[in-house]
Amino acid sequence: MFDKLHRFHPRSLDLLKDYSRARFVADLGAGFTVGVVALPLALAFAIASGVKPEQGVFTAIIAGFLISALGGSSVQIGGPAGAFIVIIYGIQQRYGLGNLLIATILAGGLLLAMGALKLGVLVRYIPVSIVIGFTNGIAILIGLSQLKDFLGLQIDKMPADFFSQLAVLSEHWREVQPWAPLVGSACVLIVVLWPKTYAMDRAAQGFKPKLRRWMSQLPGTVIALAAATAATYLLHLPLDTIGSRFGGIPQGLPSFALPDFSWSSAQMLLIPTITIALLGAIESLLCARVADKLTELKRHDPNQELMAQGIANIVTPFFGGIPATGTIARTVTNVRAGANSPVAGMVHALCLLIIILVAAPLAAHIPLAALAGILLVVAWNMGDWHEFARLRHFSLPYRTILLGTFVLTVVFDLTVAVEVGLVLACVFFIYRMSTLFKVEPMELPYVAPAITRSSKVYQLYGSLFFGAVGKVENLASVLGVQHHTLVLDAQMLISMDSSGLDALQQLQSTLERQGQKLILCGLNEQPASLIQRGGLAEALGAKGIYPDLSDWLLSQMQITTPKPL
């Protein structure tokens, strides 16, 4: 049994065999770059999730280090993710922080088991329409949840569901504090307009191009956060800050602590656990696939990646951390900064730790409106909004699945959206496959008239499965009293399931009661094996199955041809 489990073998063990000083220098620079980028995002994701800001940073440090050290990707960066904001907020509001930590640990165990059982490849079978639908839905919910701090509204606690949030925001829209949207909008503009390294001509010479290239090395999110913090502190702007709402963040990591656990709580957390595990698996493996396209390094191992994600989510909650997964924005930053091994991800975690140890008191002055502005940009970048404009070019099933998943994610939750999306995808797939199966009549003009008058021949195309059996069941009713034989040419029949076998057995029984006979010709290997094992071959008899239609025709011509006197 255990030899079928996936071997635990982190990618870092392979990449470090020929590790050089030049590669270390590149990873060191990339790691510090991503660490600086990760700080404002970790703070923003935690606050938006309804937990303390330091919990996001602790997650980025601990989970980020473990995912890079133990994962199956060369350059993926792990930590708190924007996609989890809505999920964490809903679980924390409904079940409390302690149960959120327990659900994260249980989800980590589920992820670890999925990787060990080699189920990582199954995530790739989720249709892209479902992924786009729930990603855009989550982006809408993230953006909506940030309007409170972006506008400076004095709302004690935002509800978790979409319509309740709209109702609360509509009740307080007259309470907008002018400085909050001003600072938030300035942060949005800085993040959007700040020079990007990937959009530059590196060969251009001159002072301005060199200055832009130098400026692009500084992340726009960090510039926006630093400028907003300095303005709030120096100008004494009347804004909510991390210090005024949370009392700042501690210097150093928290101590190990066991969450309160009870079996009754674990039983209630089945759906939250599955939700965290499912979203974590999808996000991490999608992120790893994006990283594979951006680098020439060896492709990721999905099962090892899930095992690393599982271990990280098991360990992090014991230090107060929240769910973690692979993060696309930080992974792309890591690749573009020159990373070539998991060392960059480990350096990113150590960089965050150094920042916490040295500069934690400064975080108390960060305005929440600035973090809300940064998250609005994150939400916008998360969504594939152009897909809505392109929907008219796709089929009705694709549009239905994408829009259905999107609406259900916004109105209900991710789990319901993915479940319904998968059901719709299966239904449309079954319908599509059933339309590909065809039963077409064949004309045999070159044989004796006696054969064509007494026999009716049909050719089967495609796969005969439970969704297409109706096309076979009605064949008995199309035979006239003058027809003694129904011949099915199965040369183009690719496969057949047990429902298809049952349909043929019912057809044979019906024809036998009517005094008619069923003949099968040209069976391929899989249908022939199933017919033999299912007993239909025995019921048809020796003269009920022929290797080819021509063999049956030859046998009939021998019967109908008069013998010479």
Side-chain angles (χ1 to χ4, degrees):
M1 174 182 177
F2 292 101
D3 60 340
K4 296 181 180 180
L5 298 179
H6 188 271
R7 183 170 67 101
F8 187 84
H9 189 80
R11 179 61 55 84
S12 57
L13 298 180
D14 295 332
L15 297 177
L16 297 182
K17 291 178 181 178
D18 57 348
Y19 203 58
S20 62
R21 181 177 180 275
R23 294 181 66 188
F24 175 73
V25 172
D27 285 334
L28 191 65
F32 272 99
T33 300
V34 180
V36 174
V37 172
L39 178 62
L41 296 178
L43 292 170
F45 291 159
I47 293 172
S49 300
V51 298
K52 294 181 179 180
E54 62 265 24
Q55 291 180 265
V57 181
F58 298 156
T59 303
I61 295 172
I62 301 171
F65 186 90
L66 291 175
I67 289 172
S68 294
L70 305 178
S73 173
S74 303
V75 292
Q76 175 154 259
I77 301 295
F84 271 123
I85 289 176
V86 179
I87 306 301
I88 296 173
Y89 190 85
I91 295 174
Q92 199 264 352
Q93 289 287 310
R94 181 173 299 179
Y95 301 100
L97 179 60
N99 285 327
L100 169 64
L101 300 181
I102 294 173
T104 304
I105 296 172
L106 296 175
L110 184 56
L111 285 168
L112 181 61
M114 290 171 61
L117 295 173
K118 302 180 181 179
L119 299 180
V121 69
L122 296 181
V123 176
R124 298 182 180 180
Y125 296 151
I126 297 178
V128 66
S129 53
I130 293 179
V131 176
I132 294 173
F134 79 68
T135 301
N136 286 6
I138 290 174
I140 290 291
L141 293 174
I142 292 174
L144 183 64
S145 69
Q146 295 311 297
L147 293 181
K148 166 180 172 290
D149 288 330
F150 186 82
L151 300 175
L153 303 179
Q154 299 301 310
I155 302 173
D156 294 334
K157 183 177 292 187
M158 285 287 289
D161 61 283
F162 176 72
F163 291 110
S164 297
Q165 288 183 356
L166 288 179
V168 171
L169 290 173
S170 64
E171 292 175 1
H172 293 80
W173 70 271
R174 293 184 179 87
E175 303 170 6
V176 174
Q177 303 295 323
W179 281 109
L182 184 62
V183 171
S185 299
C187 289
V188 170
L189 291 175
I190 291 174
V191 174
V192 172
L193 300 178
W194 192 258
K196 310 294 192 299
T197 55
Y198 57 84
M200 290 194 170
D201 181 7
R202 294 184 177 275
Q205 299 297 319
F207 175 75
K208 287 185 177 180
K210 289 183 179 180
L211 178 62
R212 284 177 59 83
R213 285 198 293 271
W214 178 83
M215 291 173 60
S216 68
Q217 301 301 316
L218 302 173
T221 53
V222 175
I223 299 300
L225 198 66
T229 303
T232 302
Y233 178 73
L234 296 176
L235 301 178
H236 303 288
L237 300 180
L239 295 173
D240 285 341
T241 63
I242 289 179
S244 64
R245 183 174 297 181
F246 301 100
I249 59 176
Q251 288 181 281
L253 291 175
S255 58
F256 181 90
L258 292 173
D260 294 332
F261 177 83
S262 67
W263 179 243
S264 58
S265 297
Q267 290 177 313
M268 291 191 306
L269 298 175
L270 176 62
I271 298 301
T273 296
I274 294 175
T275 302
I276 294 173
L278 178 64
L279 183 57
I282 294 173
E283 284 289 311
S284 63
L285 296 186
L286 285 178
C287 177
R289 291 176 67 182
V290 170
D292 287 341
K293 297 178 182 178
L294 298 176
T295 178
E296 296 181 358
L297 298 172
K298 184 178 178 181
R299 293 181 61 85
H300 75 283
D301 179 349
N303 297 310
Q304 182 62 42
E305 190 61 34
L306 287 184
M307 295 171 77
Q309 300 283 341
I311 293 173
N313 281 286
I314 291 174
V315 174
T316 306
F318 289 105
F319 296 90
I322 56 179
T325 185
T327 57
I328 293 179
R330 276 158 279 176
T331 298
V332 172
T333 302
N334 189 40
V335 173
R336 288 173 173 156
N340 53 57
S341 84
V343 171
M346 292 183 267
V347 170
H348 130 270
L350 295 176
C351 175
L352 284 171
L353 178 59
I354 293 172
I355 294 174
I356 287 296
L357 294 176
V358 174
L362 298 178
H365 304 292
I366 295 177
L368 299 181
L371 294 176
I374 292 173
L375 276 184
L376 287 176
V377 178
V378 170
W380 176 259
N381 292 334
M382 177 187 291
D384 289 325
W385 310 112
H386 63 280
E387 286 296 320
F388 289 126
R390 296 174 55 205
L391 280 178
R392 64 182 184 276
H393 300 301
F394 294 97
S395 63
L396 176 62
Y398 182 91
R399 297 197 297 266
T400 303
I401 294 171
L402 193 153
L403 293 176
T405 307
F406 171 76
V407 172
L408 289 173
T409 300
V410 173
V411 176
F412 293 100
D413 60 52
L414 173 68
T415 307
V416 173
V418 173
E419 289 173 350
V420 174
L422 287 174
V423 170
L424 288 175
C426 291
V427 170
F428 284 125
F429 176 76
I430 292 170
Y431 172 75
R432 175 60 177 162
M433 292 300 295
S434 67
T435 60
L436 295 178
F437 176 75
K438 296 180 180 179
V439 181
E440 296 185 348
M442 293 182 65
E443 298 294 336
L444 303 173
Y446 56 88
V447 299
I451 298 176
T452 58
R453 285 195 302 267
S454 64
S455 305
K456 204 164 184 64
V457 182
Y458 287 87
Q459 189 165 27
L460 307 181
Y461 296 86
S463 297
L464 179 55
F465 71 112
F466 65 90
V469 294
K471 297 180 180 180
V472 172
E473 293 172 339
N474 297 326
L475 288 177
S477 62
V478 301
L479 294 182
V481 293
Q482 75 277 13
H483 297 125
H484 304 303
T485 307
L486 173 64
V487 182
L488 298 181
D489 181 10
Q491 186 176 2
M492 303 301 293
L493 182 65
I494 302 172
S495 63
M496 182 171 63
D497 67 358
S498 57
S499 296
L501 173 64
D502 181 69
L504 290 179
Q505 288 174 328
Q506 294 296 327
L507 178 62
Q508 189 270 337
S509 299
T510 302
L511 292 174
E512 188 175 20
R513 288 195 302 270
Q514 297 175 179
Q516 297 163 320
K517 189 175 182 180
L518 175 65
I519 301 293
L520 300 178
C521 302
L523 289 168
N524 290 306
E525 182 179 355
Q526 190 273 335
S529 174
L530 183 59
I531 285 172
Q532 187 68 38
R533 290 180 284 112
L536 179 58
E538 182 179 357
L540 292 173
K543 295 184 178 181
I545 299 178
Y546 289 84
D548 193 82
L549 181 61
S550 60
D551 294 319
W552 173 77
L553 288 172
L554 182 60
S555 68
Q556 296 303 301
M557 293 179 68
Q558 290 174 348
I559 295 173
T560 57
T561 302
K563 295 182 180 180
L565 297 176

